Amino acid sequence: MKAFKLENEPKIESGFKTPEHYFENFSEKLMHKLPENEPKVISLFQKNKKTFIMVAAVLIIALLIPVFYTSTVNVNSKEIDTATLENYLSYQSNINQYDLINGLEADEINNINTTIALEDATIEDILVSNGNLEHLIIE
């Protein structure tokens, strides 16, 4: 095999050459080739401004409908349902019947008092079917 030496062998010249004084006048030539007046830029929002505003209004209204609905429902239902109140007092609170009676006024107690006409047969059926007679006697 033949010895290869880089310094002694003839060098291959590149196929690319720059013209003389190319980089000296480059910026001037480029500025002459550019157009002097700039093109007019048209914004998408300016062209379809009415459409954009209508779409934004519809989205805002669609997002605010649930807020208005819940606020009007809460305003209209300030009174507590009687069944809900009875269930709460029966199962959730530690209030017994004597506490409730002490909280009532005399005219309210008179409105509650009603005459219940029970026949003897009905009372006997209740006493027979209810095995917890001691609890009824204590109350």
Side-chain angles (χ1 to χ4, degrees):
M1 183 170 236
K2 192 173 170 186
F4 181 74
K5 296 183 182 179
L6 287 175
E7 288 103 26
N8 297 339
E9 296 294 321
K11 306 231 185 250
I12 300 174
E13 292 186 20
S14 170
F16 302 103
K17 292 185 180 181
T18 57
E20 293 181 12
H21 307 291
Y22 178 76
F23 291 109
E24 294 172 5
N25 300 328
F26 179 74
S27 61
E28 293 175 13
K29 289 180 183 178
L30 183 64
M31 293 304 288
H32 287 294
K33 289 181 180 179
L34 289 176
E36 291 185 18
N37 56 353
E38 295 182 12
K40 184 177 178 182
V41 177
I42 299 173
S43 174
L44 291 175
F45 297 115
Q46 184 179 10
K47 186 176 181 181
N48 297 326
K49 195 171 189 178
K50 291 181 182 178
T51 307
F52 179 71
I53 290 173
M54 287 191 307
V55 169
V58 168
L59 286 176
I60 289 172
I61 290 172
L63 292 174
L64 290 179
I65 285 174
V67 173
F68 289 134
Y69 178 72
T70 56
S71 65
T72 57
V73 168
N74 291 338
V75 169
N76 294 338
S77 64
K78 284 189 176 179
E79 295 183 16
I80 298 174
D81 185 23
T82 56
T84 306
L85 182 60
E86 287 176 7
N87 288 336
Y88 174 75
L89 292 175
S90 299
Y91 301 112
Q92 301 297 325
S93 68
N94 294 328
I95 298 175
N96 58 19
Q97 62 186 356
Y98 301 109
D99 293 334
L100 288 174
I101 292 172
N102 288 335
L104 296 175
E105 295 179 9
D107 59 341
E108 293 173 339
I109 293 174
N110 291 334
N111 290 339
I112 293 173
N113 287 337
T114 57
T115 57
I116 300 173
L118 292 176
E119 297 179 5
D120 291 337
T122 308
I123 294 173
E124 287 178 6
D125 289 339
I126 291 172
L127 291 175
V128 168
S129 64
N130 192 354
N132 197 358
L133 293 176
E134 295 168 355
H135 180 67
L136 293 175
I137 294 171
I138 291 173
E139 285 190 19

